[in-house]
């Protein structure tokens, strides 16, 4: 629900320039309506089968977002004790939180047992042994699903592909049955399901289909081995359009139909962990053009947002659509520009050779599809304050994370007594 109205880009019924004026730039702005409608695509698609949508909170874990999704019936996929605590602070009961992650510490496992998470997605034999010891020694029983690495190429960027045998995630398919056998014998564990996740920003259904079919086979095998598999967590990964191609991407409805077709017969409770699909389109990063500078054969728009605020282009070469807040005239000839931040490295670039309507210093731009893996990955590089976040609902907005003061940032350093 980001759209031009009366010549100005709006989030729902709020003018984005009004938010920029009130909160300053750079600032992330989220549309409640987008989050809610993207979430509902999954609920509608999975109607008729027993399921829980465990929103991957790593994509955007602002508590206001968690509270919004919680109200729509969401569960959460957490990957650290910090995320579990955050979900709980937003009001999520333990029974709606699954705990994933390839390197959970003993302290985190203990904390998750205290919270009473829905289940642990265990990624290795040593983790299984550690969880068993911790649970048994405190007289508790940990509900467990084991994450299988199905050795399927998700066809996505190599930095966010997780389901190939060469990736660090999960237990190899060839060893899964053996690991379940061990799990069944260890004290303090109760097997409840099977888990997988093959990668992120997956833009075709074929890798999902291959993974779901493999999961269905495995569930059948594990049941034949005598295990009670009542939950199947198929992870997240459904990709979104960033506006860089006209290709028709599969939507949540198609994804859910595939899921119904390949998995409904198992009569498991199906869990999915979408992050980007729900959060990505729901956010923009607003930035001000500081300078327009003519380089040697290139025109640069230097903006006040930087790679530390939105890392995706610097890390993955990701393409994000960028729009002026003031609607450009339709007859304006576009100019080719590089849109860059103020940080002292060339990777601090949001767009290269991008066709933009003529843009001057002082104008405001919106970097689109920045609701997922934006604010959560921000850092304070160059002693730049973490970007604030604003949530819009209909005609109102609220700052849901404030911009820290530089004094607060500096005050975290501790001077040793010998200096
Ligand atoms: N479940 C697990 C176990 C995951 O590791 C992830 C993402 C998800 C679910 C959610 O995947 P999604 O539905 O959002 O694709 N920073 C990168 C993305 C990293 C994804 C990591 N795992 C980016 O900006 O593209």
């Amino acid at each position: 629900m980001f759209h031009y109205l009366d010549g100005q880009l709006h989030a729902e019924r709020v003018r984005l320039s009004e938010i920029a004026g009130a909160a300053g730039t750079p600032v992330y702005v989220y549309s409640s309506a987008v989050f809610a409608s993207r979430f509902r695509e999954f609920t509608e698609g999975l109607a008729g089968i027993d399921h829980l949508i465990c929103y991957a909170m790593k994509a955007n874990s602002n508590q206001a977002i968690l509270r919004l999704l919680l109200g729509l019936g969401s569960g959460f996929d957490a990957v650290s004790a910090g995320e579990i605590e955050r979900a709980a602070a937003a009001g999520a009961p333990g029974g709606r939180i699954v705990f994933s992650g390839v390197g959970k510490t003993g302290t985190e496992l203990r904390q998750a047992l205290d919270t009473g998470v829905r289940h642990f997605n265990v990624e290795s034999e040593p983790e299984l042994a550690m969880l068993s010891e911790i649970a048994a020694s405190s007289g508790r029983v940990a509900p467990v699903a084991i994450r299988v690495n199905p050795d399927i190429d998700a066809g996505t960027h190599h930095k966010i592909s997780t389901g190939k045998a060469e990736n660090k995630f999960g237990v190899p398919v060839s060893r899964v049955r053996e690991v379940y056998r061990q799990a069944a014998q260890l004290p303090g564990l109760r097997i409840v399901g099977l888990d997988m996740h093959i990668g992120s920003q997956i833009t075709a259904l074929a890798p999902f289909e291959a993974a779901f079919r493999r999961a269905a086979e495995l569930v059948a095998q594990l049941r034949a081995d005598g295990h009670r598999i009542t939950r199947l967590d198929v992870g997240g990964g459904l990709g979104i359009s960033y506006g860089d191609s006209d290709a028709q991407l599969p939507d949540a409805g198609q994804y859910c139909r595939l899921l119904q077709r390949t998995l409904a017969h198992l009569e498991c409770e199906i869990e999915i962990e979408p992050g980007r699909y729900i959060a990505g389109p729901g956010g923009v990063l607003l930035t001000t053009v500081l300078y327009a500078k003519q380089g040697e054969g290139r025109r640069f728009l230097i903006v006040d947002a930087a790679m530390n605020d939105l890392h995706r282009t610097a890390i993955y070469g990701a393409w994000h659509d960028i729009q002026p807040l003031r609607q450009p005239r339709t007859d304006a000839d576009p100019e080719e520009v590089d849109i860059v931040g103020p940080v002292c490295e060339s990777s601090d670039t949001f767009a290269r050779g991008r066709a933009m309507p003529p843009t001057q210093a002082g104008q405001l731009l919106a970097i689109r599809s920045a609701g997922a893996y934006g604010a959560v990955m921000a850092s304070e590089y160059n002693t730049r304050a973490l970007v604030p976040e604003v949530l819009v609902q209909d005609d109102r907005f609220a700052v849901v994370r404030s911009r820290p003061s530089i004094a607060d940032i500096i005050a975290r350093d501790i001077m040793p007594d010998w200096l």
Side-chain angles (χ1 to χ4, degrees):
M1 288 271 224
F2 294 96
H3 57 130
Y4 286 113
L5 200 72
D6 300 331
Q8 287 285 332
L9 195 59
H10 282 63
E12 307 188 26
R13 292 205 285 151
V14 181
R15 243 188 319 116
L16 287 172
S17 56
E18 187 187 336
I19 295 176
T25 59
V27 59
Y28 278 100
V29 181
Y30 307 130
S31 156
S32 305
V34 177
F35 275 80
S37 73
R38 304 286 285 190
F39 181 85
R40 287 203 184 97
E41 287 183 39
F42 288 109
T43 6
E44 282 160 20
L46 293 175
I49 55 172
D50 199 7
H51 72 271
L52 183 68
I53 300 164
C54 297
Y55 167 68
M57 57 186 288
K58 64 163 76 71
N60 184 326
S61 55
N62 188 290
Q63 289 180 66
I65 296 295
L66 303 184
R67 176 74 58 87
L68 171 79
L69 295 175
L70 193 61
L72 299 173
S74 191
F76 300 99
D77 170 50
V79 290
S80 67
E83 284 196 345
I84 293 174
E85 242 179 270
R86 205 177 249 274
R96 281 216 228 160
I97 305 171
V98 298
F99 188 19
S100 303
V102 70
K104 308 176 191 78
T105 66
T107 313
E108 288 183 310
L109 293 173
R110 213 164 280 120
Q111 227 170 300
L113 275 169
D114 290 344
T115 307
V117 295
R118 180 177 176 81
H119 59 83
F120 294 79
N121 284 331
V122 172
E123 298 223 14
S124 66
E125 286 132 299
E127 183 191 336
L128 199 62
M130 170 131 99
L131 179 58
S132 159
E133 196 184 303
I134 292 172
S137 67
S138 57
R140 287 179 291 190
V141 176
V144 161
I146 290 167
R147 176 168 175 178
V148 57
N149 181 326
D151 193 20
I152 284 166
D153 187 352
T156 183
H157 193 284
H158 69 278
K159 290 188 184 170
I160 51 175
S161 182
T162 56
K164 287 282 290 166
E166 72 215 37
N167 300 131
K168 69 182 174 185
F169 302 95
V171 171
V173 182
S174 57
R175 294 248 304 289
V176 167
R177 292 172 77 187
E178 167 56 22
V179 176
Y180 270 87
R181 203 183 54 76
Q182 284 175 27
Q185 286 166 358
L186 286 168
L189 303 180
R190 180 167 53 90
I191 295 170
V192 296
L194 176 72
D195 171 50
M196 63 166 55
H197 169 76
I198 58 170
S200 192
Q201 184 55 9
I202 300 171
T203 53
L205 287 179
F208 288 118
E209 174 152 12
F212 294 172
R213 291 198 187 282
R214 193 149 293 173
E217 272 166 36
L218 272 172
V219 168
Q221 260 174 9
L222 293 170
R223 282 177 171 165
D225 290 346
H227 305 293
R228 248 175 75 81
I229 307 292
T230 58
R231 293 181 190 156
L232 175 57
D233 181 342
V234 294
L238 187 58
I240 60 169
S241 165
Y242 280 95
D244 53 341
S245 99
D246 296 333
Q248 249 335 89
L249 267 48
D251 62 21
Q254 291 166 298
Y255 171 88
C256 291
R257 278 194 289 284
L258 170 70
L259 213 148
Q260 298 254 15
R261 202 168 65 240
T262 49
L263 301 176
H265 67 280
L266 295 171
E267 295 189 347
C268 281
E269 184 173 7
I270 301 292
E271 294 163 342
I272 59 172
E273 302 171 353
R276 185 191 318 264
Y277 192 88
I278 293 170
V284 295
L285 174 61
L286 301 186
T287 185
T288 303
V289 179
L290 299 173
Y291 302 103
K293 146 169 156 173
Q294 191 58 47
E296 190 62 52
R298 297 190 90 78
R299 184 170 157 83
F300 295 100
L301 297 181
I302 300 163
V303 297
D304 67 354
M307 60 187 287
N308 68 294
D309 304 316
L310 175 62
H311 267 113
R312 301 197 65 259
T313 304
I315 302 183
Y316 318 108
W319 205 98
H320 282 259
D321 201 7
I322 302 177
Q323 288 178 309
L325 295 205
R326 200 175 64 214
Q327 188 167 23
R329 292 168 40 168
T330 43
D331 59 354
D333 278 339
E335 57 181 17
E336 231 180 61
V337 291
D338 286 5
I339 300 176
V340 301
V343 164
C344 326
E345 46 185 293
S346 297
S347 58
D348 186 22
T349 297
F350 292 113
R352 233 179 275 281
R354 180 76 58 93
M356 290 288 290
T359 309
Q360 316 304 331
Q363 272 185 251
L364 289 158
L365 303 176
I367 305 181
R368 299 288 308 265
S369 305
Y373 307 110
V376 284
M377 290 173 66
S379 78
E380 291 174 343
Y381 187 36
N382 285 22
T383 310
R384 292 168 51 86
L386 287 182
V387 211
E389 297 171 281
V390 167
L391 182 65
V392 173
Q393 186 179 52
D394 195 25
D395 60 355
R396 58 185 170 175
F397 69 91
V399 173
V400 293
R401 188 178 74 190
S402 61
R403 194 190 307 275
S405 73
I406 299 297
D408 286 344
I409 297 173
I410 294 171
R412 288 205 309 264
D413 292 353
I414 301 167
M415 201 61 78
D417 58 10
W418 66 85
L419 281 178

